[in-house]
């Protein structure tokens, strides 16, 4: 729904509701990928550990809960929990918005055809809480942002988070999976990275987000893990394939997955916010340019994958090259979009590309708006040259950004007697430069922005049929975004990590149904990357007969490091990546729980074990 955000900026809106028997319903709407995740479960922990884990996973920007919700006996309450565990914006709605019947009806209308089956009558009766949470989330999006979801466009998963390995929030922090630990004494991060930072050499936003999701909830399906490992075998042994894929992925727009969201959300009829409407038109035009650029690169990607042998890479090649929807969509786009239109990161270049995206002659009113845009842009450029000569400021330049439009930047070295002429207004000093404007520039800037806004609106009107066509086949866009994200993670994260290490440092893990957990010459993946001398490896063996290991030793001997090492190697193996060990064999792990360090609470006169028992 928004066009320019940082890679790490969250996009989830979370709805949570509970009943008096400790049953919780959760609906998480991903605004970037237009997908909805539903979960309903019994909260067995008095401290809401399951919800805390979901908050860690989704990292929502907004959390919606019922107003005046009282906690069941022995529970701390949702409101108190959210105040303590999340910095997201909290929104309280009356319980009437959490209507499961309306939720089921709304989801049947907007759900993609492939996911409608989950809304049968049996599902409705059994999972009414998460449907009520979904109703509140969708209604809040409509009221707050003035957007509605188009029909048959929302990808919905049910209880997806519980089909993966569960790692509680405390363990995520202790193991440094996403963020490095913070030293409370000096409030600074240690001179070390996290597992996510170490592996995150991805080139796209979708690849980075998929990597984070896999680390927080690793896989439990042996077949999927083995398929990923097979593709890693091929990528690490075939340098031509590895470098070819890495080069092609880098050419794709960094935020290709943003395209999907643009066509799934439509502005609600009756909206009178002209600024929001113009912004919406700009986002749609930018999304079509992004989509055009991605579709143009698909033949090159298929060519690089043509000699691939592993099933994962072959399936991706088949899904992208044999899907006729992409070729038809490319033809529809080429009918109205100029061949020269390209995605650009620069604000002014992107704006110009969006204004001239549609071919000439399609709409005469659009051509007139473009002429006005060009005239004012040239006048602004000539005005900058005029000021350079008139005030003898050769370093004076015009700069454009989306918030201010065009403004003047003058170097401090250009000033005579450290004083600006009176013609310059709104002067702000930034470093060694002065940012300012003039009456003439502000007038031209206003006319230029009005012409650009008219171009956006007229362009969207010209593309209305194309937008409706794209919205009708969102599943193809979702498949494209998912394939690129998975390729990026496998190639630029997993394979890159293995190839850039010394030979024989990382090895492929084995998986068995009921075998032991055996690690030979295992190493801590984070510490060995920053340790100057050779890391001392350790062996680990656990089976049904020996399922408890007690580690003893003096302070600073590496006991905690060994515990973290085993857990991190296990996580890496379950996401389908090679591990830092001479040999590693695992059975599927369902949960990882850790308690590392001291957690004494003097106020409660409780030891670490007692305090943990009180919390859980």
């Amino acid at each position: 729904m928004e066009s320019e955000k940082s890679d790490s900026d969250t996009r989830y809106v979370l709805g949570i509701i509970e009943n008096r028997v400790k049953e919780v319903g959760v609906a998480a709407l991903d605004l970037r990928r237009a997908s909805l995740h539903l979960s309903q479960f019994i909260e067995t922990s008095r401290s809401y550990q399951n919800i805390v884990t979901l908050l860690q996973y989704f990292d929502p920007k907004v959390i919606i809960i019922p107003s005046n919700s009282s906690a069941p006996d022995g529970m701390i309450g949702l409101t108190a929990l959210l105040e303590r565990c999340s910095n997201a914006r909290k929104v309280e709605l009356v319980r009437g918005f959490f209507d499961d019947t309306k939720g089921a009806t709304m989801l049947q209308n907007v759900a993609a055809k492939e996911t409608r089956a989950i809304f049968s009558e049996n599902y409705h009766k059994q999972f009414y809480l998460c449907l009520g949470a979904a109703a509140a989330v969708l209604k809040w999006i409509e009221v707050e942002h003035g957007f509605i979801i188009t029909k048959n466009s929302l990808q919905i998963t049910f209880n997806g988070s519980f089909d993966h390995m569960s790692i509680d929030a405390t363990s995520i922090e202790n193991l440094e999976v996403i963020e490095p630990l913070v030293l409370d004494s000096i409030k600074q991060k240690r001179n070390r990275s996290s597992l996510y930072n170490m592996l995150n050499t991805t080139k796209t936003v979708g690849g980075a987000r998929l990597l984070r999701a896999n680390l927080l909830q690793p896989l439990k399906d042996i077949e999927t893990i083995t398929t990923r490992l097979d593709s890693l075998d091929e990528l690490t042994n075939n340098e031509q394939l590895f470098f070819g894929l890495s080069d092609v992925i880098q050419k794709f727009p960094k935020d290709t997955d943003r395209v999907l969201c643009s066509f799934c959300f439509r502005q609600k009829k009756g909206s009178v916010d002209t600024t929001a409407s113009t912004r919406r038109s700009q986002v749609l035009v930018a999304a079509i340019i992004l989509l055009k650029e991605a579709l143009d690169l698909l033949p090159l990607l298929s060519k690089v994958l043509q000699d691939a042998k592993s099933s994962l890479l072959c399936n991706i090649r088949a899904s992208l090259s044999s899907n006729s929807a992409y070729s038809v969509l490319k033809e529809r786009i080429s009918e109205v979009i100029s061949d020269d239109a390209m995605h650009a990161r620069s604000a002014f270049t992107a704006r110009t590309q969006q204004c001239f995206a549609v071919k000439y002659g399609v709409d005469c009113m659009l051509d007139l708006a473009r002429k006005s845009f060009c005239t004012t842009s040239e006048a602004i450029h000539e005005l900058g040259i005029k000021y350079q000569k008139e005030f003898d400021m050769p370093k004076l330049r015009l700069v454009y950004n989306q918030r201010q439009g065009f403004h003047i930047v003058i170097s401090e070295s250009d000033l005579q007697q450290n004083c600006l002429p009176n013609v310059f207004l709104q002067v702000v000093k930034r470093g060694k430069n002065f940012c300012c404007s003039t009456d003439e520039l502000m007038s031209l800037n206003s006319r230029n922005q009005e012409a650009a806004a008219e171009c956006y609106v007229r362009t969207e009107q010209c593309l209305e049929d194309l937008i409706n066509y794209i919205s009708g086949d969102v599943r193809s866009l979702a498949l494209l975004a998912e394939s690129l994200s998975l390729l990026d993670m496998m190639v630029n994260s997993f394979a890159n990590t293995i190839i850039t290490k010394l030979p024989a440092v990382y090895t492929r893990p084995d998986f068995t149904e009921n075998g032991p957990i055996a690690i030979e010459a295992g190493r801590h993946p984070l510490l060995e990357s920053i340790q100057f001398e050779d890391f001392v490896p350790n062996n680990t063996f656990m089976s049904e007969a020996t399922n408890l290991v007690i580690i003893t030793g003096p302070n600073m001997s590496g006991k905690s490091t060994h515990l973290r090492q085993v857990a991190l190697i296990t996580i890496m193996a379950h996401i389908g990546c090679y591990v830092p060990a001479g040999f590693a064999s695992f059975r599927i792990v369902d949960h990882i729980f850790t308690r590392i360090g001291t957690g004494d609470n003097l106020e409660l006169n409780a030891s670490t074990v007692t305090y943990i028992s009180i919390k859980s």
Side-chain angles (χ1 to χ4, degrees):
M1 292 170 62
E2 299 174 18
S3 61
E4 298 296 337
K5 292 287 183 181
S6 64
D7 297 354
S8 59
D9 193 16
T10 181
R11 290 293 191 282
Y12 279 99
V13 176
L14 206 66
I16 306 177
I17 185 173
E18 63 175 339
N19 60 19
R20 298 293 297 179
V21 295
K22 302 181 182 180
E23 191 171 15
V24 178
V26 177
L29 178 63
D30 187 348
L31 297 180
R32 178 181 280 273
R33 297 188 61 200
S35 60
L36 181 68
H37 306 269
L38 302 177
S39 298
Q40 186 163 323
F41 51 89
I42 301 293
E43 184 58 82
T44 57
S45 168
R46 289 183 298 173
S47 56
Y48 289 94
Q49 281 302 313
N50 288 327
I51 294 181
V52 172
T53 301
L54 288 178
L55 290 175
Q56 176 87 33
Y57 176 74
F58 291 118
D59 189 21
K61 62 185 296 186
V62 178
I63 301 176
I64 302 171
I65 58 175
S67 58
N68 302 323
S69 56
S70 57
D73 295 338
M75 307 285 278
I76 63 175
L78 273 178
T79 304
L81 170 77
L82 298 178
E83 291 293 338
R84 187 184 67 186
C85 298
S86 177
N87 295 323
R89 174 188 172 191
K90 285 79 176 178
V91 177
E92 292 190 3
L93 300 179
V94 296
R95 282 192 172 266
F97 285 102
F98 293 80
D99 189 324
D100 56 293
T101 303
K102 290 183 179 179
T105 303
M106 295 169 71
L107 293 183
Q108 283 179 340
N109 185 41
V110 301
K113 296 178 181 179
E114 298 84 357
T115 57
R116 285 184 182 178
I118 68 174
F119 299 111
S120 63
E121 186 176 354
N122 292 334
Y123 271 93
H124 184 185
K125 292 180 179 179
Q126 186 175 359
F127 303 109
Y128 64 96
L129 284 176
C130 60
L131 292 177
V137 169
L138 296 181
K139 188 63 179 178
W140 182 84
I141 289 292
E142 178 182 344
V143 174
E144 181 75 9
H145 295 285
F147 287 97
I148 57 176
I149 300 175
T150 56
K151 290 185 178 181
N152 307 330
S153 63
L154 191 65
Q155 300 296 319
I156 300 176
T157 56
F158 184 78
N159 267 358
S161 59
F162 295 95
D163 296 330
H164 298 75
M165 181 197 298
S166 175
I167 310 176
D168 67 296
T170 303
S171 298
I172 293 293
E173 180 181 353
N174 288 338
L175 298 175
E176 300 178 300
V177 175
I178 303 299
E179 294 288 342
L181 284 173
V182 177
L183 296 176
D184 293 334
S185 58
I186 58 177
K187 298 296 182 183
Q188 291 181 350
K189 292 183 178 179
R190 295 179 180 177
N191 184 25
R192 57 198 285 180
S193 180
S194 65
L195 184 60
Y196 171 73
N197 291 335
M198 186 194 80
L199 293 174
N200 187 20
T201 51
T202 56
K203 305 299 183 183
T204 66
V205 176
R209 185 170 49 257
L210 182 62
L211 173 63
R212 181 182 182 276
N214 274 260
L215 290 175
L216 290 173
Q217 293 185 343
L219 302 171
K220 290 197 303 185
D221 181 52
I222 292 182
E223 183 178 354
T224 305
I225 297 172
T226 303
T227 301
R228 288 188 179 183
L229 292 172
D230 290 341
S231 67
L232 271 185
D233 288 343
E234 183 174 13
L235 288 169
T236 53
N237 293 319
N238 188 338
E239 291 187 359
Q240 183 177 357
L241 178 62
F242 168 75
F243 288 109
L245 284 174
S246 180
D247 182 58
V248 172
I249 293 172
Q250 195 165 4
K251 293 179 180 179
F252 276 87
K254 188 177 181 181
D255 42 6
T256 303
D257 60 335
R258 193 184 73 204
V259 173
L260 177 64
C261 178
S262 301
F263 299 110
C264 291
F265 293 95
R266 302 298 297 270
Q267 195 162 8
K268 187 179 178 182
K269 292 183 179 180
S271 175
V272 295
D273 190 343
T274 305
T275 303
S277 179
T278 301
R279 180 62 177 159
R280 169 65 181 169
S281 300
Q282 184 180 4
V283 170
L284 278 173
V285 176
I288 292 179
I289 295 176
L290 272 172
L291 181 57
K292 170 186 174 295
E293 194 168 338
L295 293 175
D296 288 341
L297 288 169
L298 284 184
L300 180 59
L301 179 59
S302 299
K303 182 179 179 181
V304 175
L305 287 170
Q306 66 181 357
D307 295 327
K309 301 294 190 297
S310 60
S311 59
L312 176 61
L313 299 181
C314 289
N315 289 338
I316 292 176
R317 180 188 63 207
S319 64
L320 296 180
S321 60
S322 63
N323 193 337
S324 60
Y326 296 128
S327 57
V328 174
L329 183 56
K330 185 177 179 180
E331 291 177 3
R332 293 289 298 267
I333 291 176
S334 63
E335 291 175 0
V336 289
I337 298 296
S338 173
D339 296 336
D340 298 330
M342 295 183 64
H343 173 65
R345 303 293 295 183
S346 168
F348 178 71
T349 305
R351 188 175 74 144
T352 304
Q353 289 282 356
Q354 292 156 13
C355 288
F356 290 85
V358 174
K359 293 180 177 180
Y360 272 99
V362 175
D363 187 314
C364 60
M365 296 300 295
L366 173 60
D367 294 340
L368 289 175
R370 286 170 172 168
K371 185 176 181 180
S372 176
F373 174 78
C374 290
T375 301
T376 52
S377 297
E378 292 172 0
I380 290 173
H381 178 69
E382 292 172 357
L383 184 64
I385 298 175
K386 171 188 171 184
Y387 287 151
Q388 285 179 341
K389 297 178 180 179
E390 181 177 348
F391 299 106
D392 191 22
M393 296 180 179
K395 294 183 180 180
L396 181 148
R397 66 185 190 275
L398 287 170
V399 178
Y400 175 85
N401 61 42
Q402 289 186 345
R403 185 174 61 87
Q404 293 178 276
F406 285 100
H407 59 280
I408 298 171
V409 176
I410 302 174
S411 174
E412 195 174 28
S413 60
D414 267 355
L415 297 183
Q416 297 178 359
Q417 299 179 352
N418 200 29
C419 182
L420 277 172
N422 294 332
V423 69
F424 296 106
L425 309 173
Q426 301 176 349
V427 180
V428 177
K429 187 175 182 181
R430 294 175 181 169
K432 295 184 178 181
N433 295 320
F434 290 91
C435 299
C436 54
S437 186
T438 66
D439 287 332
E440 191 174 1
L441 178 59
M442 286 189 286
S443 176
L444 286 172
N445 195 34
S446 177
R447 290 163 52 193
N448 184 262
Q449 290 179 336
E450 290 175 359
E454 180 66 17
C455 287
Y456 297 145
V457 175
R458 300 299 305 184
T459 298
E460 182 184 1
Q461 293 174 0
C462 294
L463 299 176
E464 185 174 358
D465 291 340
L466 177 60
I467 293 171
N468 292 333
Y469 177 80
I470 297 173
S471 300
D473 192 16
V474 173
R475 180 55 192 161
S476 297
L477 301 185
L479 178 62
L480 174 60
E482 291 168 2
S483 299
L484 289 176
S485 298
L486 181 57
L487 272 178
D488 188 24
M489 183 181 72
M490 296 300 300
V491 175
N492 293 313
S493 177
F494 296 173
N496 181 73
T497 299
I498 299 166
I499 290 176
T500 54
K501 300 294 182 182
L502 295 175
V505 170
Y506 276 59
T507 187
R508 171 175 174 156
D510 295 330
F511 280 87
T512 59
E513 292 289 345
N514 299 305
I517 295 178
I519 302 174
E520 180 184 356
R523 304 175 309 281
H524 194 294
L526 306 181
L527 291 185
E528 74 162 348
S529 63
I530 64 171
Q531 192 161 321
F532 295 104
E533 60 271 10
D534 292 337
F535 190 91
V536 179
N538 296 282
N539 299 332
T540 304
F541 183 86
M542 298 184 70
S543 64
E544 292 184 358
T546 57
N547 59 4
L548 175 65
V549 176
I550 299 177
I551 303 175
T552 62
N555 291 340
M556 302 299 293
S557 61
K559 300 185 297 296
S560 298
T561 298
H562 182 65
L563 292 175
R564 291 189 176 98
Q565 167 189 309
V566 174
L568 290 175
I569 290 177
T570 302
I571 292 173
M572 292 181 67
H574 281 71
I575 65 176
C577 183
Y578 283 13
V579 297
F583 170 82
S585 178
F586 298 90
R587 63 195 302 177
I588 291 298
V589 177
D590 292 319
H591 298 80
I592 291 181
F593 300 105
T594 67
R595 289 297 183 268
I596 301 175
T598 58
D600 302 343
N601 191 306
L602 299 179
E603 295 178 358
L604 298 178
N605 192 27
S607 65
T608 301
V609 175
T610 304
Y611 185 58
I612 291 174
S613 301
I614 293 173
K615 287 180 63 180
S616 58

